[in-house]
Amino acid sequence: MAAEIQPKPLTRKPILLQRVEGSQEVVNMAVIVPKEEGVISVSEDRTVRVWLKRDSGQYWPSIYHAMPSPCSCMSFNPETRRLSIGLDNGTISEFILSEDYNKMTPVKNYQAHQSRVTMILFVLELEWVLSTGQDKQFAWHCSESGQRLGGYRTSAVASGLQFDVETRHVFIGDHSGQVTILKLEQENCTLVTTFRGHTGGVTALCWDPVQRVLFSGSSDHSVIMWDIGGRKGTAIELQGHNDKVQALSYAQHTRQLISCGGDGGIVVWNMDVERQETPEWLDSDSCQKCDQPFFWNFKQMWDSKKIGLRQHHCRKCGKAVCGKCSSKRSSIPLMGFEFEVRVCDSCHEAITDEERAPTATFHDSKHNIVHVHFDETRGWLLTSGTDKVIKLWDMTPVVS
């Protein structure tokens, strides 16, 4: 009797809808135009382009506008169609786009920074324009008058910026790996606190105002979830990339985090699970399992006449252990370790198959992603890469 062929289970993955090509340099930022089949992009080639889908199915520029300096970042408000563009020379230029997205009218310029603008946010409710620059300055301006309202010097160049309208807290992530929280008033600000959990620079921030959770991506390949609203100070580490994390987005209605990075990976994290905080690594002069001395513990090596061993740490319990007592590896998804990591032998035996069940899905975008934008109403994801290409994805098979 012939063996029965079982059908392979269908793999749920993003569907590539469109490739938008034509930029001469890297597209630093781009957004999906709400309720339209269009994209707004700013590029290192000094151009601002609005791409609209034509009858042929291809995206072609309805607006092609050259700026006096490379365009480093942007912020677009769909309600007012106000487009704020950060430039390499430190200027922020504002435009209003026409209803048919075929014309952009200049409004004003802000001399916001002494060097390249790194991030911009337009806050409609307060009529503020928030920005950071390579001059290590955070600034905010009145969008009506153009007047500078205040500023704050960051510890390093900032590359992540988020704002909570309700509390007027601004979150700034910088290249030193620090996240700074400021409380903004009309013309002054106060330092609330700082977080430090990354070993590399912060490259992206994402804020969930409902759950009051801040996500930070880093060049150390990790994402950290900071629980600011509920259990203050709780930090959950997420490890799912093989290169620096460069962009984050959050789907509030499904509580899924989308992280993208230099490895081309699009990782979709299920945040609607009870995650466990990563333990602190314990200090010890000898293995906390077999009591063998580590190589710097000269006294115990001399007393026991044994050669010192190299120190490792169990990612589940945090204990300092030798290689022999931590010979096994395991994924621990509820702790954020989707890849296999070092654990001590006793923890390895205690981890169940249910605890090893993945809480994230992994997808290959086939380009080094520098920025993303997620349209939650349609489930579309935009990725722009170092290959000068913008890709539009249907994420409904994996974000639902």
Side-chain angles (χ1 to χ4, degrees), residues 11-26:
T11 303
R12 296 167 65 86
K13 61 182 182 179
I15 300 168
L16 181 61
L17 299 174
Q18 193 68 245
R19 287 169 58 96
V20 181
E21 302 179 64
S23 297
Q24 302 303 309
E25 296 291 343
V26 174

Side-chain angles (χ1 to χ4, degrees), residues 287 289 294 310-314 319-323 325-326 344:
C287 175
K289 293 292 182 179
F294 293 132
R310 184 183 172 189
Q311 184 191 55
H312 300 282
H313 282 92
C314 173
K319 288 183 177 179
V321 289
C322 67
C325 294
S326 58
C344 65

Side-chain angles (χ1 to χ4, degrees), residues 20 54 63 87 115-116 140 147 171 210-211 234 289 312 321 338 358 368 391:
V20 181
R54 308 303 184 182
I63 294 175
L87 302 180
S115 56
R116 185 180 179 94
W140 70 104
Q147 178 186 355
F171 308 95
V210 178
Q211 301 294 326
T234 301
K289 293 292 182 179
H312 300 282
V321 289
E338 294 288 336
N368 180 335
K391 294 184 180 182

